[in-house]
Amino acid sequence: MAPHLNIVPSMLVLLLLFISASKVQSDAFDVVAKFGAKADGKTDLSKPFLDAWKEACASVTPSTVVIPKGTYLLSKVNLEGPCKAPIEINVQGTIQAPADPSAFKDPNWVRFYSVENFKMFGGGIFDGQGSIAYEKNTCENREFRSKLPVNIRFDFVTNALIQDITSKDSKLFHINVFACKNITLERLKIEAPDESPNTDGIHMGKSEGVNIIASDIKTGDDCISIGDGTKNMVIKEITCGPGHGISIGSLGKFQNEEPVEGIKISNCTITNTSNGARIKTWPGEHGGAVSEIHFEDITMNNVSAPILIDQQYCPWNKCKKNEESKVKLSNISFKNIRGTSALPEAIKFICSGSSPCQNVELADIDIKHNGAEPATSQCLNVKPITSGKLNPTPCSGPVPKTPGATA
């Protein structure tokens, strides 16, 4: 097995960046005092917010956009760079989206695009008001879902620190990170009902140096989902649940997906979720590669599938079930994982028959089934490397001919 990654340089760069910026007097752009915003929950914040951003972004000295305490209605806003100096947003209030999904014609609500040296903080709340959307978002209603907005998008953002922000009841994903570099999300609170569809807490793709730290995620889909092109990432001190766990993937659905590599997930607690530490790829479809994925020091509490490699991922039974996954998995470890499983199958490795998993390691695992039956471990097309105490015994259970679908 390759050594575990210790990815800290990007976090140190961000810390030094914002310490140095804080020593310079920051110009404040208050959306209420200077730009006429009203915290009445009815007047659209879009123009004052955008006007404040444009002035702050044009400043040649560090600047801060301030959204004071209160409740604001925001139809949508697109905040673009590049800016001339480091820029911050101090969100103290609650920002609410229109509750009616028909108010959105594309999947954007709050979007940051092409921004460098950026910080957002303040303890504020982005409330997507998604309850109406949840009722209409079904697997058959794809056109409706394609227009549902993500609460907060970070696209092509570099050297960013997001701290002490809440995302609530997003209509779709809460936070989406795309084509970003050196971005840290810390002390976030993400919450949506456990039955809310497609409300992934944090999703990312084609990004490098992403750090997600000390955050609490309760949602209806993956707490964290990692898409193609993600490299050199740290996830630690996360509490996850309810939801679908922390997932690599799904992968292999589309052509030309980029490799996922160098992901370390550690010191997390996962409770009352359908999955725990998971890698998921589609059968048939397209190729790809996943390597250097390390789950370590994780507590599972009543998790249905605590440790899962699923290369027959087929939600809603809409896939090429009779074909093998073309995504290659290698150098993957699960270490010091303990707790309880809601179902007997505590460990499931369902790997591809045409490209079996390589160098999968299990070490110091202790997962007990909450029910009367003992916990079991299933293996298909993989021979894991094992060490330390192992409960359940690796590969001790039979693999069903048609493994059950996972959400």
Side-chain angles (χ1 to χ4, degrees), residues 127-351:
D127 183 355
Q129 299 204 98
S131 59
I132 297 175
Y134 303 154
E135 297 173 2
K136 297 181 179 181
N137 185 5
T138 63
C139 58
E140 294 82 12
N141 200 351
R142 293 185 178 182
E143 184 177 354
F144 173 79
R145 185 167 62 250
S146 69
K147 296 178 182 178
L148 291 177
V150 172
N151 259 13
I152 309 171
R153 284 186 180 271
F154 298 101
D155 296 338
F156 300 93
V157 173
T158 302
N159 297 336
L161 179 61
I162 315 301
Q163 286 182 325
D164 303 310
I165 293 294
T166 294
S167 176
K168 179 182 177 183
D169 294 343
S170 181
K171 293 177 176 66
L172 201 69
F173 294 177
H174 285 265
I175 295 173
N176 193 81
V177 177
F178 177 77
C180 293
K181 188 172 183 179
N182 298 340
I183 179 170
T184 293
L185 302 103
E186 184 176 23
R187 300 193 301 269
L188 302 187
K189 186 176 181 180
I190 295 174
E191 53 187 29
D194 59 357
E195 296 300 323
S196 56
N198 305 118
T199 53
D200 292 46
I202 303 171
H203 176 77
M204 71 223 58
K206 295 181 171 59
S207 296
E208 184 171 2
V210 178
N211 307 292
I212 305 174
I213 304 168
S215 296
D216 183 17
I217 305 175
K218 298 178 173 69
T219 190
D221 210 299
D222 291 326
C223 291
I224 298 171
S225 56
I226 299 165
D228 78 295
T230 304
K231 299 179 180 180
N232 300 333
M233 178 181 185
V234 166
I235 299 170
K236 65 180 182 178
E237 299 166 20
I238 304 300
T239 58
C240 164
H244 294 179
I246 298 175
S247 298
I248 311 294
S250 61
L251 298 168
K253 180 69 172 174
F254 303 103
Q255 287 185 341
N256 303 317
E257 290 185 352
E258 298 177 12
V260 175
E261 58 188 24
I263 315 295
K264 183 173 181 180
I265 301 104
S266 64
N267 298 104
C268 298
T269 299
I270 303 177
T271 303
N272 294 329
T273 57
S274 57
N275 306 286
R278 172 168 67 157
I279 300 172
K280 51 181 176 175
T281 74
W282 290 79
E285 304 298 344
H286 305 286
V290 177
S291 63
E292 300 299 343
I293 311 298
H294 304 294
F295 295 91
E296 187 171 338
D297 299 325
I298 297 175
T299 299
M300 305 283 183
N301 298 315
N302 196 46
V303 174
S304 294
I307 297 175
L308 176 63
I309 294 176
D310 183 5
Q311 292 210 262
Q312 296 180 6
Y313 177 69
C314 186
W316 316 299
N317 292 317
K318 293 184 177 180
C319 64
K320 299 177 181 178
K321 277 188 172 183
N322 297 324
E323 297 185 20
E324 300 290 343
S325 175
K326 297 180 176 69
V327 180
K328 297 180 180 180
L329 307 186
S330 63
N331 299 336
I332 297 162
S333 67
F334 302 88
K335 293 186 175 183
N336 193 26
I337 299 177
R338 63 263 175 212
T340 58
S341 173
L343 299 175
E345 299 84 7
I347 301 173
K348 293 175 70 174
F349 291 156
I350 310 300
C351 292

